[in-house]
Amino acid sequence: MVYKRALIETVVQLADDHLILGHRLSQWCGHAPMLEEDLSMPNMALDLVGQARNLYSYAAELEGEDRSEDDLAYLRTDREYRNCLLVERPNTDFAYTMVRQLYFTAFMRPFWQGVLTGSDTTLAGIAGKAIKETGYHLRHSGEWVVRLGDGTEESSRRMKDAVSTLHPYTDELFSVDAGRQQCIEQGIVPGPEQLRAAWCSTIKSVFSQALLEVPEVEYPLCGGRDGRHTEDFGYLLADLQYLQRTYPGAQW
Amino acid sequence: MVNAVAKQPIDLARAAAVAASVPDPELPFMTVSDLGILRDVFIENDIVVAQVSPTYSGCPAVVVIEQSILAALTEAGFNSRVQRMMSPAWTTDWITTEGRKKLRANGIAAPAAGRGTDNNPASEPILFSRITVSCPQCDSDNTHKVSEFGSTPCKAQYRCDSCGEPFDYFKCL
């Protein structure tokens, strides 16, 4: 397979996005504003980490070397992680978390839809499961964005703050490097134009119900796909990798 | 012992019955067959193969279920392995009629039949939609959703406005 390297890179980028966002959501466990949300966020984290696991094990299988899904998830350095910056941004407050979730999920839904009918059967299988989960993640975050955006003065202020802070990070979702380009040409994953159209339409529809405006972004913030992460990522990784670094090979 | 078994023809029907009777760890009154996650049992190179489809990508019960099936088959004297099937993706439409009855008898509202596959990702997300879920205690349709997430990934929390009981709803997927 000529494009094998490209496929591995794309699968690892996807897996990293899901693992890191899953980890961020799991940090709400025990800290959510209400019991129902204390269950919902770790539940979605479980879905995301499960999707990441399926992707990492596919990447490891494609590599065909000694690295396992756990090595990929736990034993790389910060510069080797290729997740977009959006997913590593701190939880900050519930408004930030819901806006971040909406941005990511509104992107993944058309993405998985494209993969489902794409040319890679293993990835299509992973997409088949993930797309159903993405459906209710989108409903969950979309409903909260509407409730809070069209809520009290305080909730509306926090939503506007979250939107203006996080929106500049969304451009990276659509970035295409050489490896991604090859995967698009092979019909494995959908291209950025199609994804952007679907994403914009979802965000516009939710924001209009939430009385929020889609901001104009002057300077998109990116770097994660090249391994250049934000300061917060180091703390996240220290937490995520602690057990495997301290007790190598530990299992439960 | 394995050799002695291997010399006789494998009783596929018995192996299938053994695999089908394995309970789900989170809903122990349900078997893997009731849930529709045991997709097929067949013989390949003198080994019994059980095909299992995970419910959710991150369901922590997946590995336990696979190991339970393997253990049950081994205990019954079968040389066996479990194969995980990602595609086609499991849907709540595969829960059997018997399984739906058992859910209800245990206070869990069963997923609406035939709704598992109707999510159309191409369309705009429909927010704040409502579906009618009947109370497993008093049959009333006068219920409301408390949260789309519950004690396990597959359940949502509802409350009945007629009898006041909270209950789990096995959500459509």
Side-chain angles (χ1 to χ4, degrees):
Chain A
M1 215 193 295
V2 192
Y3 56 91
K4 190 164 132 183
R5 195 64 246 165
L7 180 57
I8 295 170
E9 281 169 15
T10 291
V11 172
V12 168
Q13 284 177 359
L14 273 175
D16 287 349
D17 282 351
H18 286 78
L19 177 71
I20 302 305
L21 187 60
H23 187 80
R24 275 286 182 234
L25 280 180
S26 77
Q27 291 175 323
W28 273 105
C29 190
H31 302 279
M34 57 206 268
L35 180 62
E36 286 76 14
E37 291 311 308
D38 213 279
L39 285 169
S40 78
M41 288 185 282
N43 251 302
M44 289 190 289
L46 205 58
D47 289 336
L48 292 170
V49 174
Q51 291 158 14
R53 186 177 178 184
N54 292 334
L55 292 163
Y56 282 131
S57 64
Y58 183 39
E61 183 193 315
L62 284 168
E63 275 192 347
E65 290 160 20
D66 289 339
R67 285 209 288 191
S68 70
E69 58 183 47
D70 283 349
D71 295 332
L72 285 167
Y74 293 120
L75 298 177
R76 284 177 299 151
T77 62
D78 54 350
R79 295 297 295 261
E80 293 172 297
Y81 281 81
R82 294 301 151 108
N83 56 281
C84 59
L85 297 182
L86 175 71
V87 298
E88 72 192 47
R89 300 312 298 134
N91 290 336
T92 314
D93 64 14
F94 191 67
Y96 268 70
T97 304
M98 287 302 110
V99 170
R100 186 184 61 197
Q101 201 65 25
L102 175 68
Y103 282 160
F104 182 74
T105 312
F107 172 82
M108 284 316 299
R109 197 168 74 136
F111 186 90
W112 286 131
Q113 182 63 18
V115 171
L116 200 59
T117 52
S119 60
D120 188 290
T121 48
T122 308
L123 215 50
I126 295 171
K129 291 221 73 66
I131 199 158
K132 292 168 170 239
E133 293 154 5
T134 305
Y136 62 77
H137 293 188
L138 187 58
R139 236 176 8 248
H140 175 265
S141 54
E143 287 178 4
W144 273 114
V145 167
V146 172
R147 275 188 208 107
L148 298 172
D150 184 15
T152 65
E153 203 177 306
E154 174 71 4
S155 71
S156 163
R157 180 188 68 73
R158 287 185 186 233
M159 287 306 293
K160 284 174 185 153
D161 191 32
V163 167
S164 68
T165 307
L166 293 173
H167 209 83
Y169 292 100
T170 55
D171 213 53
E172 197 176 18
L173 289 167
F174 307 96
S175 68
V176 174
D177 56 18
R180 182 66 66 101
Q181 185 58 38
Q182 264 189 289
C183 290
I184 294 168
E185 282 162 15
Q186 293 293 330
I188 299 170
V189 299
E193 296 82 16
Q194 177 188 348
L195 292 170
R196 201 183 275 275
W199 184 83
C200 286
S201 137
T202 302
I203 298 301
K204 264 188 205 152
S205 142
V206 176
F207 276 19
S208 74
Q209 293 174 68
L211 312 181
L212 293 166
E213 281 179 28
V214 181
E216 290 290 325
V217 174
E218 222 167 315
Y219 301 105
L221 298 169
C222 53
R225 293 277 187 249
D226 303 319
R228 289 179 290 115
H229 294 279
T230 58
E231 184 187 352
D232 307 279
F233 188 62
Y235 293 96
L236 181 152
L237 216 54
D239 190 24
L240 175 76
Q241 296 189 333
Y242 166 79
L243 199 92
Q244 280 302 321
R245 296 282 187 198
T246 313
Y247 304 98
Q251 293 200 329
W252 61 285
Chain B
M1 187 178 146
V2 173
N3 287 342
V5 171
K7 278 174 195 161
Q8 293 168 8
I10 300 168
D11 185 348
L12 182 62
R14 193 171 71 88
V18 167
S21 67
V22 171
D24 176 85
E26 282 172 343
L27 303 163
F29 52 86
M30 295 282 280
T31 66
V32 290
S33 158
D34 293 334
L35 278 168
I37 56 179
L38 180 69
R39 301 309 300 155
D40 199 7
V41 180
F42 57 90
I43 297 165
E44 190 182 80
N45 302 329
D46 294 332
I47 290 174
V48 174
V49 182
Q51 283 184 332
V52 177
S53 179
T55 53
Y56 283 71
S57 299
C59 183
V62 172
V63 178
V64 180
I65 290 168
E66 291 174 355
Q67 284 172 350
S68 308
I69 293 173
L70 203 56
L73 285 168
T74 307
E75 198 173 314
F78 295 103
N79 199 352
S80 56
R81 69 184 174 90
V82 171
Q83 190 181 12
R84 192 179 297 183
M85 304 293 289
M86 290 297 287
S87 183
W90 178 82
T91 154
T92 42
D93 292 345
W94 292 353
I95 298 177
T96 62
T97 312
E98 181 61 24
R100 285 166 194 276
K101 277 188 205 154
K102 286 187 189 173
L103 281 173
R104 202 177 162 70
N106 285 274
I108 298 172
R115 293 199 49 133
T117 46
D118 75 350
N119 48 1
N120 174 14
S123 65
E124 283 308 309
I126 299 158
L127 305 181
F128 304 104
S129 65
R130 277 162 181 256
I131 51 163
T132 307
V133 174
S134 308
C135 171
Q137 308 293 341
C138 75
D139 276 338
S140 167
D141 286 343
N142 186 18
T143 63
H144 73 270
K145 181 164 75 182
V146 176
S147 171
E148 196 155 356
F149 300 87
S151 55
T152 64
C154 56
K155 286 179 275 175
Q157 301 175 69
Y158 272 72
R159 181 186 294 276
C160 177
D161 294 321
S162 293
C163 71
E165 280 292 310
F167 62 90
D168 277 335
Y169 166 61
F170 203 112
K171 60 194 177 208
C172 287
L173 193 72

